[in-house]
Amino acid sequence: LTATAERLRALVRPGDSAARLGGDEFVVVAEDVDDPVVALALAERIRAGIARPVSLPGGGTIGVSCSIGIARSAVLAPETLLREADEALYRAKALGRDRSEG
């Protein structure tokens, strides 16, 4: 989780926020992303960056994947936006994991 958090911080754009919600779930708040193509490109960059193998302290590596739920809105309440992102995340997982869904 620490390696994933560090990677996530490095992958988001300046001005974006990243935080761990709990367990193995993180949230990224990306400001000023009005275009769905831009949102999907950002999600794909994050997914690809997280997916690189993680080096283990005793040697060896472990594979990591990530599923991403995308929600966009300038007018929704934060809790509604998080719920929509969570629903998109579960769609991504249901469709095979290691992918982005909006």
Side-chain angles (χ1 to χ4, degrees):
L1 285 174
T2 302
T4 300
E6 290 170 0
R7 285 182 181 183
L8 188 56
R9 274 193 294 266
L11 291 164
V12 298
R13 305 167 312 157
D16 292 346
S17 299
R20 181 172 169 229
L21 287 179
D24 63 352
E25 292 188 357
F26 294 82
V27 64
V28 172
V29 178
E31 299 288 336
D32 301 321
V33 178
D34 298 326
D35 185 343
V37 173
V38 173
L40 191 57
L42 175 60
E44 179 55 27
R45 185 168 56 92
I46 290 170
R47 193 203 58 74
I50 296 294
R52 294 179 291 124
V54 174
S55 297
L56 299 174
T61 60
I62 187 169
V64 178
S65 67
C66 90
S67 300
I68 299 175
I70 302 169
R72 298 178 312 107
S73 176
V75 296
L76 291 178
E79 59 274 5
T80 303
L81 195 58
L82 279 174
R83 186 181 70 244
E84 288 189 5
D86 195 50
E87 290 169 1
L89 169 65
Y90 282 95
R91 277 194 307 277
K93 289 180 177 183
L95 290 169
R97 300 182 176 267
D98 197 27
R99 59 183 293 135
S100 302
E101 287 293 321

